[in-house]
Amino acid sequence: MSETISLRSMDSSHVRIGVIGAGFVGGAFVRSLLDPERQVALVDAATTTLEIVGVAVRDLSKPREGIPAALLTDDAVTLVTRDDVDIVVELAGGLEPAKTLIELALRRGATVVTANKALIAEHGTALAQLAHEHEADLLYEAAVAGGIPILRALRSSLAGEKINQVLGIVNGTTNFILSKMTQDNVDYDAALAQAQALGYAEADPTADVEAFDAAAKVQILSSLAIGTALVGESISREGITAVRALDVDFARRSGYVIKLIGVVERAGEHGVSRRTHPALVPIDHPLASVHGAMNAVFVEGARSGPLMWLGQGAGGEATATAVMGDVLLAARNRVSGRHDIPFSVDDRLVSVDVADLSSVFYISLDVIDEPGVLAAVAAVFGRHKISIQSMEQNGLAHDARLNFVTHEARTSDVTATLAELRTLAAVESIGACIRVIGGEA
Ligand code: NDP
Ligand code: HSE
């Protein structure tokens, strides 16, 4: 372990910042901090002067609008280990070298601000502990829902509240795709192509559409809302690639809208469910009106009741505002010689397997249109104790599509039902099995 050099004795009337990364978020953050028109307000909010002493990038030859060349370096290790750097702002992303760079900074007592959800979801508890051991802060407001200040709200304003449930639309790309499918009646591929053309989705959209990004954000929300550890535990994750235009249409006709939601929910005394999956959301639920690339987080507190935050969950400028808020807090903390204690982890909490949870489900089957098929399908539901709330049948030449909405059913029973339905000769395909939030109609 490298030697700790205390920064507390240094001149706190001037705070020096080293930035790793000058991409979408890093570039916006650096330009914002260097903006002469903002200087007075920033110094006022920080209660000290702020100076960027270096910006580490991978490729020094890339043009960097608004960032003086003299600040740029391709040697991030030297930047984070400079003993005059008080705050390291990590905006490179990925697990490595971000983790190593952050550890180097924390070990010498520098504060770290990061937007790196993947890293915090995987190693957040250990990094927070390391920060605490070295009397430093580790701040990551921008890691969840970009510009929405939800983490500080959970950590501070709601610190004394028992949070029973968090529901979030925490991935802008998938919300854009599902909104396009809903509003323009297009299929998944066409909506994804539009998201890519507009720069919301990356050329490889896996992290967004398979819900890896949302799952990392759910982990972070859960740690602050309920007290779970940030140790890279895998949580139940289902993306949006299987959502079809006709599911979106069924939802619309039935008074719902399909959203990719992240869920943190208490289950019993010490149980907690963390998951992300598409869901039919009733149109009168506050999350149903969150369109396009916007994010929203809905929190149900035992005493506060329902609360909701809405805003831009991505984009360089919006995300950089959250980074700036953390940097100003870090600067104030350095001036006052304080640092945050790590968030507490409730060791009694146990993850509840999604198979044991109950929900209302929308299930869509394509079947052969013959006498007795509906009775055979209904018998399978019945054998697994699944009660049907509604059913519609649409003719498809010689076939038929059966759309069911169940009453509350245990997920493991639904899984067993689908497995048995697949064995019926009359069932050609199972097109959808999507949870309905909000319980019974
Ligand atoms: P970008 O890919 O746009 O930028 C990454 C930057 O990091 C680039 O400037 C790159 O250098 C630099 N970089 C990468 N590896 C290294 C390294 N080893 N040493 C030095 N510099 C390095 O990413 P974003 O700005 O989009 O994202 C940054 C972080 O913010 C990520 O953790 C992301 O998850 C998070 N975030 C992003 C949001 C967004 O809307 N974009 C929203 C919320 C969070 P070079 O330019 O030379 O390639
Ligand atoms: N890719 C994310 C989204 C933004 O689409 O919301 C970064 O968290």
Side-chain angles (χ1 to χ4, degrees):
M1 193 195 291
S2 61
E3 201 181 340
T4 303
I5 302 164
S6 172
L7 294 172
R8 301 280 156 198
S9 55
M10 293 188 176
D11 176 13
S12 64
S13 64
H14 185 66
V15 165
R16 294 172 186 81
I17 300 165
V19 183
I20 319 293
F24 288 111
V25 183
F29 168 72
V30 171
R31 284 190 294 276
S32 171
L33 210 146
L34 294 178
D35 180 351
E37 288 184 10
R38 304 201 61 204
Q39 287 305 310
V40 172
L42 293 179
V43 169
D44 205 30
T47 67
T48 180
T49 49
L50 301 166
E51 179 192 6
I52 295 188
V53 298
V55 179
V57 292
R58 235 175 343 205
D59 179 357
L60 281 173
S61 69
K62 277 191 197 169
R64 315 269 174 188
E65 199 192 324
I67 305 179
L71 287 180
L72 294 168
T73 173
D74 58 4
D75 184 355
V77 172
T78 298
L79 181 61
V80 302
T81 50
R82 265 174 70 162
D83 58 14
D84 64 341
V85 170
D86 306 290
I87 301 175
V88 168
V89 181
E90 185 278 307
L91 299 170
L95 295 185
E96 285 293 353
K99 177 167 173 277
T100 301
L101 294 170
I102 287 174
E103 287 170 345
L104 285 169
L106 292 175
R107 285 208 171 97
R108 54 175 199 82
T111 288
V112 171
V113 172
T114 179
N116 194 331
K117 71 216 75 148
L119 178 64
I120 294 297
E122 190 87 16
H123 298 291
T125 293
L127 291 172
Q129 190 55 40
L130 185 65
H132 184 55
E133 282 163 20
H134 295 278
E135 298 185 11
D137 282 325
L138 172 68
L139 303 169
Y140 45 87
E141 180 63 64
V144 177
I148 302 177
I150 180 63
L151 299 189
R152 191 107 68 236
L154 290 171
R155 179 129 165 78
S156 302
S157 312
L158 293 168
E161 174 61 312
K162 181 179 184 195
I163 308 286
N164 289 324
Q165 186 190 52
V166 180
L167 295 178
I169 293 174
V170 288
N171 183 270
T173 304
T174 46
N175 202 48
F176 176 87
I177 292 170
L178 292 171
S179 297
K180 273 279 154 208
M181 291 175 74
T182 305
Q183 286 155 6
D184 298 353
N185 292 322
V186 294
D187 67 13
Y188 170 79
D189 289 332
L192 170 63
Q194 285 192 45
Q196 286 171 321
L198 290 169
Y200 291 119
E202 296 186 20
D204 175 1
T206 309
D208 291 322
V209 300
E210 296 293 1
F212 288 99
D213 176 80
K217 292 166 178 170
V218 166
Q219 300 246 35
I220 298 171
L221 286 168
S222 172
S223 76
L224 295 173
I226 309 251
T228 47
L230 288 166
V231 290
E233 202 181 334
S234 80
I235 64 169
S236 170
R237 177 186 53 76
E238 196 185 315
I240 64 161
T241 52
V243 177
R244 307 165 303 170
L246 51 95
D247 301 322
V248 170
D249 182 54
F250 174 81
R252 183 191 298 112
R253 288 186 284 109
S254 310
Y256 297 93
V257 59
I258 299 186
K259 297 286 182 193
L260 178 73
I261 55 164
V263 184
V264 179
E265 210 166 53
R266 288 187 191 274
E269 201 179 349
H270 298 305
V272 55
S273 168
R274 289 165 294 166
R275 56 189 199 271
T276 176
H277 53 74
L280 271 70
V281 177
I283 46 167
D284 58 357
H285 190 285
L287 289 179
S289 53
V290 179
H291 302 303
M294 296 296 268
N295 279 196
V297 182
F298 176 86
V299 171
E300 184 78 43
R303 294 164 201 81
S304 66
L307 300 160
M308 189 161 113
W309 290 257
L310 169 77
Q312 292 186 56
E317 298 292 340
T319 307
T321 63
V323 175
M324 185 67 83
D326 278 352
V327 166
L328 298 177
L329 171 63
R332 287 196 299 275
N333 281 354
R334 296 199 81 85
V335 170
S336 61
R338 69 177 292 275
H339 71 97
D340 264 7
I341 53 164
F343 51 85
S344 49
V345 173
D346 184 346
D347 294 327
R348 296 165 305 174
L349 291 174
V350 179
S351 267
V352 175
D353 191 331
V354 76
D356 295 329
L357 295 172
S358 292
S359 174
V360 171
F361 286 85
Y362 149 66
I363 295 169
S364 174
L365 312 175
D366 282 0
V367 298
I368 295 168
D369 197 358
E370 278 176 8
V373 169
L374 184 54
V377 166
V380 176
F381 278 96
R383 264 197 293 287
H384 294 281
K385 301 186 189 61
I386 294 188
S387 172
I388 292 161
Q389 191 178 151
S390 68
M391 195 282 288
E392 68 167 30
Q393 172 169 344
N394 300 308
L396 305 166
H398 300 298
D399 298 334
R401 176 160 303 132
L402 305 178
N403 292 327
F404 297 93
V405 175
T406 69
H407 283 292
E408 285 269 343
R410 204 177 152 90
T411 307
S412 55
D413 292 336
V414 171
T415 307
T417 303
L418 298 183
E420 189 176 341
L421 285 171
R422 280 190 193 95
T423 67
L424 298 189
V427 174
E428 297 186 321
S429 66
I430 294 171
C433 175
I434 304 178
R435 291 174 184 78
V436 179
I437 69 161
E440 304 279 327

